[in-house]
């Protein structure tokens, strides 16, 4: 198990660099966004991003998820995998341009003309980025991915300051900065990893259909995942207006701190889950990793919740001040999302994309129903609760179905008890800092409940550290 932990730890460290720098930089941009953009502007920009994220899995047949899995399969041709993904992305772009041109000509939606142009660029560059990024991971060019992520963040930060503060371009500057950042990162990965060597016009039809058969069921999964994470913005816009949607969208910036840690581990774990899959979890690697991740996410969720009001006062200017209210339930939804993705990586390892899709769709249906009910009564807070419940449904259903693939050695009672503690904290947090002292007690309860896990983790890390020191002396 030591080698598995070392490999996972190495990738966690690399992806920490990849995610920490971008998220921290993005975090410090929030005051600029809230002072230079109105809630309506931010709501419109958010709709462009969320709409593009819906287009990607549908128009590309979610081929990017097949890229990582098939590239890591020694029996498959890496050049063929990469070339097929580029072809499908190109076809998807043509279809997107055609659809949006028709919608624009018919004037179906009351949005500015630039909305469609930025939507096209946002869709294609993100789709291409996903394929290139996952291919680089598949050929073990993780350092390239890390550097590209930093380039993306630094350029986006610089351009946002230049366009919003200096040139005062408003929403146009914000959208343009994001596009330039991701474009630069794609160019860097393409040449740094010599991806042009993997390109070829003629591809294997059999491989193409194998990839599509793998990725096609995932379209429903990704769309359902989008429903869980983004559909509430559309329902809020329809029921409460773009301004409330923008306020709700900005509230995600604090949960994104927790998402940063989720993304770090998820990217590293997605590789280990495929590489080190063991049905019986003989050495307990999967179970211990799951338990430790659950503890880490819950503890971080609790701590961020304690500082939520304080952070909000620093970040949110003007009309965005009320966004702190929606943060606590969204934080817990990130925890549920993280653990559901952890289990999803195991389904990916065994190529069971149908179960992935079914569980995500199930959660999405519940989410939509609750959105209409709760937003009507509680506004944006109702949307946050609906998101929390939707992710929880996905997590529970995946835990139930996981048993046919792996006997994971973990104590689920402890894990679910941690969720109960966080639910209590959400109730306390609803009245701002009135019950702050009681909130502060929650993390200590979590450390007590997981004390055995922490002792085992410290012992394992000590052994790895000792081994590394011993090798360096030799």
């Amino acid at each position: 198990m030591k080698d598995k932990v070392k490999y996972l730890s190495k990738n966690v460290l690399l992806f920490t660099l990849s995610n920490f720098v971008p998220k921290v930089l993005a975090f410090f941009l929030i005051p600029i966004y809230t002072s230079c953009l109105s809630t309506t502007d931010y709501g419109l920009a958010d709709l462009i991003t969320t709409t593009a994220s819906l287009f990607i899995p549908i128009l590309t047949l979610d081929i990017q998820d097949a890229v990582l899995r098939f590239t890591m399969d020694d029996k498959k041709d890496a050049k063929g995998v990469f070339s097929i993904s580029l072809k499908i992305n190109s076809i998807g772009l043509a279809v997107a341009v055609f659809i949006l041109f028709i919608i624009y000509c018919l004037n179906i939606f009351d949005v500015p003309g630039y909305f469609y142009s930025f939507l096209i660029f946002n869709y294609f560059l993100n789709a291409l980025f996903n394929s290139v990024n996952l291919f680089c991971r598949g050929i073990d060019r993780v350092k390239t991915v890390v550097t590209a992520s930093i380039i993306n963040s630094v350029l986006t930060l610089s351009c946002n300051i230049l366009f919003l503060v200096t040139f005062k371009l408003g929403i146009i500057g914000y959208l343009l900065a994001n596009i330039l950042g991701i474009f630069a990162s794609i160019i860097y990965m393409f040449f740094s990893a010599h991806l042009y060597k993997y390109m070829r016009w003629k591809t294997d039809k059999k491989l193409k259909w194998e990839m599509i058969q793998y990725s096609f069921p995932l379209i429903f999964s990704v769309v359902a995942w989008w429903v869980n994470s983004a559909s509430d913005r559309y329902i809020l816009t329809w029921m409460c207006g773009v301004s409330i949607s923008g306020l709700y969208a900005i509230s995600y910036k604090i949960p994104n701190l927790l998402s940063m840690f989720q993304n770090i581990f998820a990217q590293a774990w997605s590789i280990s889950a495929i590489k080190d899959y063991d049905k019986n979890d003989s050495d307990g690697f999967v179970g211990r990793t799951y338990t430790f991740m659950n503890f880490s996410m819950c503890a971080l969720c609790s701590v961020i919740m304690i500082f939520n009001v304080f952070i909000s006062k620093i970040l949110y200017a003007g009309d965005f001040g009320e966004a702190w209210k929606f943060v606590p339930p969204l934080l817990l939804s990130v925890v549920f999302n993280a653990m559901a993705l952890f289990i999803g990586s195991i389904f990916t390892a065994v190529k069971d994309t149908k179960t992935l899709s079914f569980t995500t769709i199930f959660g999405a249906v519940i989410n939509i129903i609750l959105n209409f009910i709760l937003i009507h009564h509680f506004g944006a807070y109702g949307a946050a609760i609906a998101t929390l419940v939707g992710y929880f449904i996905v997590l529970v259903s995946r835990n139930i179905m996981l048993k046919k693939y792996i006997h994971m050695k973990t104590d689920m009672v402890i894990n679910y008890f941690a969720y109960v503690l966080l639910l209590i904290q959400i109730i306390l947090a609803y009245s701002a800092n009135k019950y702050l002292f009681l909130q502060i007690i929650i993390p200590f309860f979590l450390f007590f409940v997981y004390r055995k896990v922490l002792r085992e983790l410290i012992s394992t890390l000590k052994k790895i550290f000792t081994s590394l020191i011993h090798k360096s002396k030799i």
Side-chain angles (χ1 to χ4, degrees), residues 69 214 273-274 277 345-353 405:
R69 186 64 187 85
Y214 172 86
I274 297 171
Y277 172 70
S345 294
I346 298 174
F347 288 119
T348 299
V350 296
K351 295 184 178 180
D352 183 2
T353 53
Y405 291 117

Side-chain angles (χ1 to χ4, degrees), residues 210-248:
E210 283 181 16
M211 290 175 65
I212 291 174
Q213 284 175 348
Y214 172 86
S215 67
F216 186 77
L218 287 174
I219 296 174
F220 306 99
S221 175
V222 177
V223 170
W225 211 257
W226 176 90
V227 169
N228 270 324
S229 62
S231 64
D232 46 10
R233 326 278 179 88
Y234 290 88
I235 299 173
L236 264 177
T237 301
W238 177 56
M239 297 180 73
C240 303
V242 178
S243 180
I244 297 297
S245 178
L247 186 66
Y248 181 70

